[in-house]
Amino acid sequence: MGLTDEGCLNRLTCIVHAAYTNLYIPADDWDDWEEELAVCERDIELRPNDFRAWEKLGNVLEKLGRDEEALAACERAIEIRSYEYFAWGLQSRVLEKLGRDKEARAACEESISCIKFWRSRLINSSVQT
């Protein structure tokens, strides 16, 4: 039984990052993932240290079924900015698909930690203003 089957941690990350992913990642019913991949590769050439470009690449690669490459893109995004929840959540989803449930759970827990970090920063900034 995978993480999402248990309704465990990924449910929370899905709720929180749904709006975020809609900002710059095509919807699941997008029909030209190869074209989107070319856009992602150009983005990375132009901005190799942009964690969002790597997150988007990971998402597109996962949609294409290129899970190992998606995992590498997630790892690069996390290397650039380790407290970004979407990369951790995507990494969790890909690891789960690969049957690496223990690692998937750890990545999901990191994603939730990042969500809590950003939420506390948002709350603290609104209290101070």
Side-chain angles (χ1 to χ4, degrees):
M1 183 177 289
L3 295 177
T4 52
D5 293 339
E6 296 172 11
C8 131
L9 302 171
N10 279 338
R11 186 173 294 170
L12 176 61
T13 58
C14 287
I15 292 166
V16 175
H17 80 248
Y20 174 75
T21 58
N22 288 334
L23 292 175
Y24 70 96
I25 297 175
D28 286 337
D29 61 354
W30 184 260
D31 63 350
D32 197 348
W33 291 108
E34 291 294 338
E35 179 183 323
E36 193 63 28
L37 178 60
V39 170
C40 290
E41 289 169 342
R42 282 193 304 272
D43 285 350
I44 295 225
E45 283 178 27
L46 294 172
R47 300 181 321 251
N49 293 317
D50 181 348
F51 74 93
R52 285 188 179 100
W54 287 98
E55 287 177 338
K56 184 176 178 183
L57 177 64
N59 188 60
V60 170
L61 288 166
E62 190 238 353
K63 299 297 183 195
L64 289 168
R66 295 164 60 176
D67 294 331
E68 293 293 339
E69 293 170 86
L71 198 53
C74 291
E75 289 168 357
R76 179 65 180 126
I78 290 166
E79 180 182 306
I80 295 167
R81 186 168 168 174
S82 63
Y83 50 91
E84 192 57 45
Y85 66 89
F86 180 78
W88 284 108
L90 178 59
Q91 184 180 55
S92 175
R93 190 169 69 221
V94 172
L95 286 165
E96 182 182 6
K97 284 174 55 181
L98 295 171
R100 294 162 58 179
D101 288 348
K102 187 175 181 178
E103 293 170 88
R105 179 176 292 277
C108 193
E109 288 171 356
E110 286 293 333
S111 180
I112 290 171
S113 292
C114 294
I115 291 168
K116 290 177 182 176
F117 166 79
W118 286 113
R119 189 174 71 192
S120 70
R121 293 216 30 193
L122 179 65
I123 291 168
N124 289 338
S125 68
S126 65
V127 169
Q128 293 173 359
T129 56

